[in-house]
Amino acid sequence: MDFIQDITKSLQELLSSYIDLDYSLWLYRLLTPLIVTFLLPLVFVALIYISFLVLFIYKLHREVILRAVRTDRRFWEFGRKLVAAIWDAHGRIYHGYEVIGMENIPDNGPALIVYYHGAIPVDMYYLNSRVVLQKDRLIYSIGDRFLFKLPGWGTISEAFHISPGTVQSCVNILNEGNLLAISPGGVYEAQFGDNYYELLWRNRVGFAKVALDAKVPIIPCFTQNLREGFRQLGIFRNLFLKLYNAVRIPVYPIYGGFPVKFRTYLGKPVTYDYNITPEELQVKVAQALEDLINKHQRVPGSIFHALLDRFPPFRSKKYV
C-alpha cells in the first residue's frame, strides 16, 4: 500500500509541475455551458437523422421486413432482413451504392463469388444486404480467424454464416446449394493493396480447389472506388509488413470513411470445367477480375475524382 501511495503522490507532483490544476478546473467550468450548448443540438440533429434513417428503411423495404416477421421459417430471418435493410439504406445514402450485374447471381443453386478485398470490405456488407433483400438469398462468407476474437462477432457470424473456412467446409456449403464469397487475397490484400488495385493473391489456389470439387461457377466481383473509401496511411509499409508476417493480424493503420461513389460489378460466371487444374482456374479467374478492374476503375484511384463520381455531370463515362 505504501508503494502505491508513493507512486500516486509522485504522479500528482509530476502533473502539478506541468499543469495548473486550479486553472484547468476553472477553464472546464467556464467552457461547460458552451460545450453543452453545442453538443445538445448535435444530439437532437443525430436523433432526427436516425429517425429519418429508420423511416427510410421502412419505406424502402417494408414488404420484405413485414414478410419476415409474419413467417416462422428460420430463427435469424427477421434479424438478417432488418440488418440488411439498415446496411442497404446506408450504402444508398452515403455511397450512392449500386450493383451492376445482379443477374449473374443465380436465383437458386450454388455459386462461388470471388472478390477484390478492400482495406475494409464494406462493399461486401452492402452486396450481401442487397442480395438478401432483392433475391431473398444469403451469401455465406469466409472471414479471417482474428475476427472471431472480436466481441460481438460471434452473433454476427452466426446470423450471417461467416466462418474461417477450410476447403472441405466451403465445398459442403456449396453442395448444400448456397452462395459463398471468398477473397483469395484476404487480410494481406486488405492491408497492403493500394489505389493501383493489383491482386495480391500470393499463389493461393484454395478457392479454385473449392470450385472444382463442388463443380460450381465462379462469379468475379469488384467494387469501383473501394480503395478511395478507406486507405492505409502509406508510410512505414515495410515495417508493418514485417509486423504483419509476425502476428498475422491487421496492424497497418487505416483512415478514411469518405463518401465516395461505390459501384459493385459482378462479372459473367467462369463456368466449371473438369479439364482444368486449380492453378489454371486461378489464372483464369484472376484475369476475369483484372478485366473488371481495368474496365471500371480509374488507376491510380483518386479520392477527389471518386467523390465527383457521386454527381452524374462529373462522372467519367469511361469507367461506367
Side-chain angles (χ1 to χ4, degrees):
M1 291 294 294
D2 293 337
F3 176 69
I4 295 175
Q5 290 175 352
D6 291 340
I7 292 177
T8 304
K9 186 176 180 181
S10 299
L11 286 173
Q12 289 175 343
E13 292 175 354
L14 180 65
L15 287 173
S16 62
S17 63
Y18 287 98
I19 302 173
D20 187 337
L21 296 179
D22 290 334
Y23 172 74
S24 299
L25 186 62
W26 174 82
L27 189 64
Y28 166 76
R29 289 175 176 172
L30 177 66
L31 295 179
T32 295
L34 187 63
I35 294 171
V36 171
T37 299
F38 283 99
L39 278 184
L40 286 180
L42 290 177
V43 170
F44 283 110
V45 170
L47 289 174
I48 290 171
Y49 278 99
I50 289 172
S51 301
F52 158 73
L53 183 62
V54 171
L55 293 174
F56 180 80
I57 290 166
Y58 177 73
K59 178 181 178 181
L60 195 64
H61 299 298
R62 61 188 180 279
E63 292 183 4
V64 174
I65 293 172
L66 292 174
R67 186 164 61 248
V69 173
R70 295 191 192 101
T71 58
D72 189 22
R73 290 182 287 172
R74 293 172 293 224
F75 177 76
W76 287 113
E77 185 73 16
F78 172 66
R80 273 200 298 264
K81 290 286 174 64
L82 182 59
V83 171
I86 292 172
W87 275 99
D88 187 65
H90 184 274
R92 289 173 185 266
I93 296 169
Y94 198 73
H95 290 290
Y97 182 68
E98 298 178 61
V99 179
I100 310 299
M102 182 69 85
E103 67 277 4
N104 292 321
I105 293 183
D107 293 330
N108 50 67
L112 178 61
I113 299 171
V114 172
Y115 64 95
Y116 174 84
H117 203 307
I120 296 178
V122 65
D123 60 320
M124 293 309 296
Y125 307 159
Y126 295 147
L127 176 62
N128 204 357
S129 299
R130 190 67 59 87
V131 171
V132 165
L133 295 170
Q134 288 190 3
K135 289 185 173 284
D136 199 24
R137 300 197 68 186
L138 176 68
I139 302 175
Y140 288 55
S141 302
I142 301 303
D144 197 274
R145 295 184 184 278
F146 85 91
L147 289 170
F148 299 88
K149 298 178 182 179
L150 300 178
W153 189 258
T155 300
I156 295 174
S157 61
E158 183 182 356
F160 283 88
H161 292 283
I162 304 170
S163 62
T166 62
V167 170
Q168 190 54 55
S169 68
C170 291
V171 171
N172 292 340
I173 290 171
L174 292 167
N175 284 340
E176 292 170 359
N178 299 302
L179 300 171
L180 177 65
I182 296 178
S183 172
V187 176
Y188 180 79
E189 187 171 77
Q191 286 273 276
F192 301 102
D194 55 28
N195 60 334
Y196 283 86
Y197 291 88
E198 296 179 31
L199 301 183
L200 303 179
W201 289 5
R202 300 193 295 178
N203 298 318
R204 290 185 174 180
V205 295
F207 77 93
K209 293 178 180 178
V210 168
L212 291 174
D213 288 351
K215 300 179 176 60
V216 298
I218 297 177
I219 302 170
C221 173
F222 170 72
T223 298
Q224 185 184 62
N225 297 326
L226 185 57
R227 285 280 169 188
E228 282 58 72
F230 294 91
R231 282 188 177 177
Q232 279 73 26
L233 285 179
I235 58 175
F236 306 122
R237 187 179 189 277
N238 291 334
L239 173 64
F240 285 114
L241 178 57
K242 291 178 181 178
L243 185 58
Y244 168 79
N245 288 330
V247 298
R248 295 291 177 177
I249 61 173
V251 291
Y252 209 167
I254 294 171
Y255 70 96
F258 303 112
V260 299
K261 178 68 176 183
F262 278 173
R263 188 184 284 110
T264 293
Y265 289 91
L266 297 164
K268 294 292 183 182
V270 178
T271 56
Y272 168 72
D273 182 356
Y274 68 91
N275 288 318
I276 202 171
T277 66
E279 290 75 17
E280 291 170 335
L281 182 57
Q282 188 231 41
V283 172
K284 192 172 183 180
V285 174
Q287 184 61 59
L289 194 47
E290 286 173 346
D291 287 345
L292 286 179
I293 294 172
N294 294 333
K295 183 177 180 180
H296 300 294
Q297 180 59 54
R298 183 185 295 103
V299 176
S302 162
I303 294 174
F304 175 71
H305 286 105
L307 289 169
L308 289 182
D309 285 342
R310 295 292 304 272
F311 308 100
F314 301 101
R315 189 176 300 161
S316 173
K317 303 300 181 184
K318 178 181 177 181
Y319 302 106
V320 177

